[in-house]
Amino acid sequence: MALSDFDLVLFGGGGDLSMRKLIPALYARHRAGDLPPSAQIICVGRHPWTDKEFVEELNQNARPNISEKTFTQEAWNAFCACVRYVSLDATDAATYDPLIDLLRHDQDMTRVFYLAMSPSLFASICKNLHQRGLVTDSSRVVLEKPLGRDLASAKQINLEVGKVFKESQIFRIDHYLGKEAVQNLLALRFGNVLFEPLWRREWISDVQITIAEELGVGNRMGYYETSGALRDMLQNHLLQLLCITAMEPPLSVTPDAVRDEKLKVLHSLKPFTPTTLARNVVRGQYRAGHVEGKPVPAYRAENSANPDSTTETFVAVKAEIDTWRWAGVPFYLRTGKRMADQLAEIVVRFKSIPHSIFAQSNSSFQPNCLVIRLQPDDGLQLNLMAKTPGDGMRLKPVELELDFAETFKTPRMDAYERLLLDVLRGHLTLFMRADELEAAWEWVEPILRHWEQEGNEPIPYTSGSWGPAAASALIGRDGLQWREEA
Ligand code: BG6
């Protein structure tokens, strides 16, 4: 579907997210011919750059994040010609005049305000946009995570933004929902008859969801120190993956049909008790070690780090969903920086066969397992038992492998490309609703309070490992192992 003309205003346009993800994503869509020729991308920041100087910034900081495969100087120049830069103080409505001058004041034209800024500024920016009469019926606002620091601040943001924009105009972004593999999970579950009858407690033993990164915090220490793995990854990305995995079939893929089902999952998460907080949550922080054979410093020794920091860079949680479908099925979630590998996956492990007709001594039985791989390459792996060729009846685990890039051979879209197109088209399905966001905070908040009250330090783990031993013990107590450690 062709996009109609738009003005996209990028608050935080000169910032890290913009340079790493948003500008490269917009370039890719521009190059693919998806953006209308007269679309304007207006980057906003405090720095007093001219348009020309800002293009220099893009050359230095955004251009290196575009793959050589898709870069051509001609396409880049054409894209940069759509980009304008405006210097203003986002917290001061009186400085918005240069933005007002650039915007096209056609009430029907799509106008998107993308707030790639600290959430503490969301309310005042929305108020200023309203005060300067910039919010039309065709306007949308995109809110980048983290959306708040806890339930109270998330509610406050929802309230303040909601005074200016209708819920149907608010796009709360979680870029994991834009990943191909996540949408493929919807296709797998609801486009096939095969899995749905088995997708329940009778047949599934446990689900593991892992997002492991080899990278450390890099130059984002300022932000990360105020966040930590729980706020940065668990409250949003991991819980969204859990929702898509566990939700009931929605009536359709319309925004509210999907979001209603995700909300029910969040509401059915078993609340933590003092006992489960102590037993089912592990918090870690990386120490020095080796990643991909290279030495890396401890979190506390990273650039501009606080040498006494107690911020967690790893979190693992055992979650339970109190519904007929999932009662008794543990969902193990974990994420960490400076881990042994760079991967994101959902592992659905099925129960063992109820009775074997084969001689056990000749066969190494393993329960079936479905791995939905999000990263590094998206794909599916289904582990089955098969007979080894030859005389006798010996069974062995085998893997059915589906690599989506290999299968489809069509150009891939980065999550931000897909989500930006959805914003420009006004499609809300892959964005979080206010109540969803609040329900997710409500579930994780006891963990934050517990850590504050206990004042205990995160458990150290060596960079390049799979996290603290306590994370293996967390799943080991249930007689299980993380897939990578099995
Ligand atoms: C972001 C987090 O939301 O997701 C980062 O703020 C993290 O800390 C990133 O590195 C991971 O995203 P991806 O797509 O690279 O797995």
Side-chain angles (χ1 to χ4, degrees), residues 145 175-176 179 213 220 223 232-233 237 337 375:
K145 64 162 269 282
H175 78 277
Y176 263 70
K179 292 190 188 270
E213 297 182 272
R220 296 167 73 221
Y223 153 72
D232 189 45
M233 303 291 285
H237 304 327
K337 296 206 182 280
Q375 277 161 194

Side-chain angles (χ1 to χ4, degrees), residues 17 21-22 25-26 29 114 144-145 173-175 178-179 237 413-422:
L17 181 77
K21 296 284 188 186
L22 304 177
L26 288 164
R29 287 302 101 204
Y114 195 123
E144 255 301 334
K145 64 162 269 282
I173 212 160
D174 182 315
H175 78 277
K179 292 190 188 270
H237 304 327
M413 250 200 234
D414 173 76
Y416 273 102
E417 292 177 43
R418 164 73 202 253
L419 293 175
L420 277 161
L421 287 183
D422 277 1

Side-chain angles (χ1 to χ4, degrees), residues 255-263 428-429 431-433 436:
D256 281 339
V258 172
R259 299 187 301 178
D260 284 348
E261 294 308 331
K262 288 198 289 165
L263 182 66
L428 274 160
T429 302
F431 298 83
M432 284 182 290
R433 211 169 50 193
E436 244 186 284

Side-chain angles (χ1 to χ4, degrees), residues 3 10 15-16 41 64 88 109 148 161 210 229 290 292 328 353 368 416 424 470:
L3 287 175
L10 208 51
D16 178 68
I41 298 164
L88 55 75
M109 182 178 307
V161 175
T210 296
H290 287 79
E292 291 204 311
I353 49 168
N368 299 129
Y416 273 102
L424 293 166

Side-chain angles (χ1 to χ4, degrees), residues 236-300:
N236 32 72
H237 304 327
L238 282 171
L239 282 185
Q240 285 295 318
L241 296 182
L242 175 137
C243 285
I244 302 277
T245 309
M247 71 183 182
E248 294 298 320
L251 288 179
S252 63
V253 284
T254 51
D256 281 339
V258 172
R259 299 187 301 178
D260 284 348
E261 294 308 331
K262 288 198 289 165
L263 182 66
K264 283 186 210 159
V265 174
L266 292 166
H267 280 157
S268 0
L269 283 167
K270 194 181 265 189
F272 287 102
T273 63
T275 314
T276 54
L277 280 171
R279 275 177 70 84
N280 292 351
V281 183
V282 174
R283 183 167 65 134
Q285 188 190 67
Y286 63 80
R287 294 288 184 261
H290 287 79
V291 172
E292 291 204 311
K294 295 198 190 92
V296 292
Y299 177 76
R300 292 175 177 181

Side-chain angles (χ1 to χ4, degrees), residues 385-407:
M385 295 299 296
K387 176 187 171 300
T388 48
D391 198 13
M393 192 66 185
R394 278 191 297 127
L395 270 65
K396 203 173 149 240
V398 291
E399 288 165 7
L400 275 183
E401 188 55 60
L402 176 63
D403 178 326
F404 288 121
E406 255 314 291
T407 305

